[in-house]
């Protein structure tokens, strides 16, 4: 084998070794990025869960207030009807 062929093969080997090292480094960085993304996803899921819990609580409070307001409106309507039906009183009678 000629020296030129050996140098060419050595150069190809060194290029392949550099590419392999670069691929290993890329794989390592991809693993780090993947782990960071998993951590971010977990935090986002926790935030989402807390938001859903808060929305559910607010929905319950809104339903409660809506029912309470409806009862108050009904009571006010009944009072208004009673006032309309009752005979007018003089200010001194009250």
């Amino acid at each position: 084998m000629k020296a030129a062929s050996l140098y060419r093969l050595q150069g190809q080997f060194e290029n392949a070794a550099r590419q392999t090292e670069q691929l290993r480094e890329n794989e390592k960085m991809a693993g780090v990025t993947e782990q960071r993304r998993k951590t971010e996803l977990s935090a986002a899921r926790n935030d989402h869960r807390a938001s859903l819990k808060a929305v559910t609580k607010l929905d319950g409070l809104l339903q409660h207030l809506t029912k309470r307001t409806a009862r108050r409106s009904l009571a006010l309507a009944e009072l208004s009807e009673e006032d309309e039906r009752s005979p007018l009183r003089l200010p001194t009678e009250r």
Side-chain angles (χ1 to χ4, degrees):
M1 194 175 246
K2 294 183 182 179
S5 294
L6 285 175
Y7 286 129
R8 186 174 46 80
L9 286 175
Q10 185 178 1
Q12 289 176 351
F13 175 78
E14 288 172 359
N15 282 338
R18 278 193 298 273
Q19 287 177 350
T20 301
E21 186 59 34
Q22 184 63 46
L23 289 172
R24 286 183 179 142
E25 185 64 29
N26 290 348
E27 182 180 30
K28 191 185 303 181
M29 293 302 295
V32 168
T33 301
E34 179 184 19
Q35 195 58 42
R36 187 172 48 237
R37 295 294 184 248
K38 283 181 180 180
T39 301
E40 290 171 357
L41 179 60
S42 178
R45 283 181 174 153
N46 288 338
D47 288 347
H48 180 67
R49 225 176 276 119
S51 294
L52 282 179
K53 186 177 178 181
V55 166
T56 302
K57 187 174 183 177
L58 287 173
D59 281 345
L61 289 171
L62 178 62
Q63 287 176 359
H64 174 73
L65 288 173
T66 301
K67 288 177 186 177
R68 196 166 101 185
T69 302
R71 287 193 301 261
R72 286 183 177 177
S73 296
L74 181 61
L76 285 173
E78 288 174 359
L79 281 174
S80 293
E81 286 177 16
E82 287 177 12
D83 284 348
E84 288 174 5
R85 285 189 227 150
S86 65
L88 289 177
R89 296 183 194 152
L90 296 174
T92 56
E93 292 178 359
R94 290 186 183 171

